[in-house]
Amino acid sequence: TVTCAGSTLKFYDNNKHTVSWEWVFFSDTLDIRSNEKDPEILFEEVGVYDVSLTAVSCFGDTLQFTKPLLVEVLDAPVADFSFLPPSPTENEVQFFNESAFGRQYRWDFGDGVTSDQRDPFHEYENDGEYEVVLIVDNVCGSDTIIRELEVITPPVAGFTVSDSIICAGDTVFFQNLSTSNVTSWLWEFDGAIPDTSSEENPVVVYENAGAYNVRLTVEGKGGMNSSFRFGYIVVEDLPEVSYEYMVGGRMIEFNNLTTGSTSYNWDFGDGNKSTERNPTHEYVMDGTYAVVLMAENDCGIETYMDSIVIKTSSLTDFVEGPVKIGPNPFNDQFDISFDAKVPVSLELYDVTGKK
């Protein structure tokens, strides 16, 4: 039986043959006695009481009955609590119920979450100031206590980007992924325009090829934090296209000197084409050919053109006429002879066909 301090309870002896009674109502600190048959007892002190009855019947028999912990006397509840850590630097808080005489507990953590546990554990999603309410109930009444709690956790910097591999002149959109307790941002962009920003989600332009670092430093009530990424933005440019070649009669060996390209398209100027990096091509006729190399990457296409002269001869020895040249073909040297009385015009070409 649960009752409140200051209340009375009536007790009954249902034995019809008893003629005397000795009631004892005792707790750890108090005894209450009565010799009435059906006593009405005033319980003024809080505690848990055992009840004992010693009765004598009309036949002279002595009977004794004891019921331990029969009566619990409560006072009105007094609400109180504490929490750890006392100044939370993490979003997890342990609450300790220090109320007196409570039987039911109702918690409101100030963020829309409630609990009926005695000593609840709660995790806050965001930093901030919260009013925590504890309502304590029992049969004697209710009591409420409100305490303020401020959660201040360290900020954590984080970010992503629209594209980390771009072409020179492209615009890059940075997205802040830092924790929600950040109040200011400082961005540092190597090689970008602008090279710094205090915006939450800045936009910058990279004009020159290279690999560039990015740093984000954030600040909040809980301190500062930085995120640094080395070579995070890779800026590519158009290919730099060029080639060289070697002439062996009408057979040409091309050496591709292009950088920054992923594919190649050759046009040899005689209707033939190739996609090899270093092709070999044989011309069927002498002549001057415009050889075009187109190189491509994700940033676009660049072209390089050079003229190649193909000139061969069917002479096997000397050229008859006013000018004599021989031997043909030759190894290290050849002779040219002509009649000085005859006007002579000479054109000499090297093995590459260049004049």
Side-chain angles (χ1 to χ4, degrees):
T1 301
V2 178
T3 189
C4 300
S7 299
T8 59
L9 294 176
K10 189 173 182 65
F11 296 83
Y12 298 92
D13 176 19
N14 295 322
N15 192 329
K16 297 179 179 180
H17 302 289
T18 53
V19 294
S20 68
W21 305 266
E22 183 180 1
W23 295 84
V24 181
F25 307 88
F26 57 97
S27 67
D28 292 337
T29 59
L30 180 68
D31 286 352
I32 303 174
R33 297 177 179 271
S34 175
N35 297 116
E36 296 180 5
K37 180 179 185 300
D38 300 317
E40 188 170 316
I41 304 300
L42 173 64
F43 291 94
E44 295 183 305
E45 186 174 307
V46 171
V48 178
Y49 293 81
D50 298 340
V51 178
S52 174
L53 171 60
T54 302
V56 178
S57 72
C58 59
F59 305 108
D61 298 326
T62 300
L63 305 174
Q64 187 172 24
F65 306 92
T66 300
K67 291 191 176 181
L69 309 179
L70 180 61
V71 178
E72 182 178 10
V73 180
L74 300 177
D75 209 341
V78 179
D80 194 12
F81 70 89
S82 62
F83 51 86
L84 286 177
S87 298
T89 56
E90 296 183 359
N91 56 359
E92 297 176 345
V93 181
Q94 177 66 61
F95 291 91
F96 297 96
N97 193 334
E98 298 171 353
S99 304
F101 312 116
R103 286 299 180 266
Q104 293 87 35
Y105 308 98
R106 290 173 286 166
W107 294 85
D108 185 333
F109 301 114
D111 61 352
V113 180
T114 61
S115 174
D116 59 2
Q117 297 180 6
R118 176 179 174 81
D119 299 295
F121 176 86
H122 183 59
E123 182 174 351
Y124 287 91
E125 292 187 0
N126 301 304
D127 287 15
E129 296 180 357
Y130 301 93
E131 283 192 347
V132 180
V133 180
L134 171 60
I135 302 174
V136 182
D137 300 303
N138 67 16
V139 295
C140 303
S142 177
D143 190 34
T144 300
I145 186 171
I146 301 174
R147 295 193 186 279
E148 292 187 352
L149 164 70
E150 184 174 13
V151 178
I152 303 175
T153 61
V156 179
F159 61 90
T160 188
V161 71
S162 56
D163 196 349
S164 62
I165 302 177
I166 63 171
C167 298
D170 282 357
T171 298
V172 178
F173 298 85
F174 284 87
Q175 181 182 359
N176 170 50
L177 297 179
S178 305
T179 49
S180 61
N181 55 354
V182 171
T183 57
S184 66
W185 303 266
L186 175 60
W187 298 83
E188 298 173 83
F189 309 104
D190 292 348
I193 301 174
D195 59 359
T196 62
S197 176
S198 59
E199 296 181 7
E200 182 178 357
N201 298 295
V203 179
V204 300
V205 176
Y206 290 88
E207 292 189 341
N208 300 310
Y212 299 101
N213 307 330
V214 178
R215 182 190 299 274
L216 171 59
T217 302
V218 297
E219 186 173 1
K221 275 190 174 182
M224 300 176 64
N225 186 250
S226 291
S227 177
F228 175 80
R229 298 190 184 182
F230 179 80
Y232 182 54
I233 303 298
V234 178
V235 183
E236 298 179 344
D237 209 341
L238 289 169
E240 295 184 5
V241 187
S242 66
Y243 64 82
E244 61 184 12
Y245 58 89
M246 293 184 59
V247 178
R250 292 176 178 169
M251 183 68 71
I252 311 298
E253 294 183 2
F254 292 93
N255 182 26
N256 192 339
L257 303 177
T258 302
T259 58
S261 178
T262 56
S263 64
Y264 311 95
N265 285 282
W266 294 83
D267 186 335
F268 299 117
D270 62 351
N272 291 293
K273 303 179 185 298
S274 175
T275 57
E276 296 181 12
R277 176 176 175 84
N278 298 297
T280 298
H281 182 63
E282 183 175 7
Y283 290 92
V284 298
M285 297 179 62
D286 289 2
T288 300
Y289 298 92
V291 178
V292 179
L293 171 58
M294 297 175 60
E296 183 176 3
N297 64 15
D298 291 337
C299 297
I301 299 174
E302 282 285 274
T303 300
Y304 177 79
M305 184 186 71
D306 197 2
S307 294
I308 297 178
V309 177
I310 303 297
K311 187 172 184 180
T312 59
S313 175
S314 61
L315 297 177
T316 59
D317 195 2
F318 285 88
V319 176
E320 300 295 338
V323 179
K324 294 183 179 180
I325 303 174
N328 185 22
F330 63 90
N331 291 323
D332 297 327
Q333 62 183 17
F334 64 93
D335 298 323
I336 301 175
S337 63
F338 55 89
D339 187 349
K341 296 179 181 180
V342 179
V344 177
S345 176
L346 295 178
E347 290 185 0
L348 301 180
Y349 296 85
D350 63 17
V351 293
T352 66
K354 293 185 178 181
K355 189 174 180 180

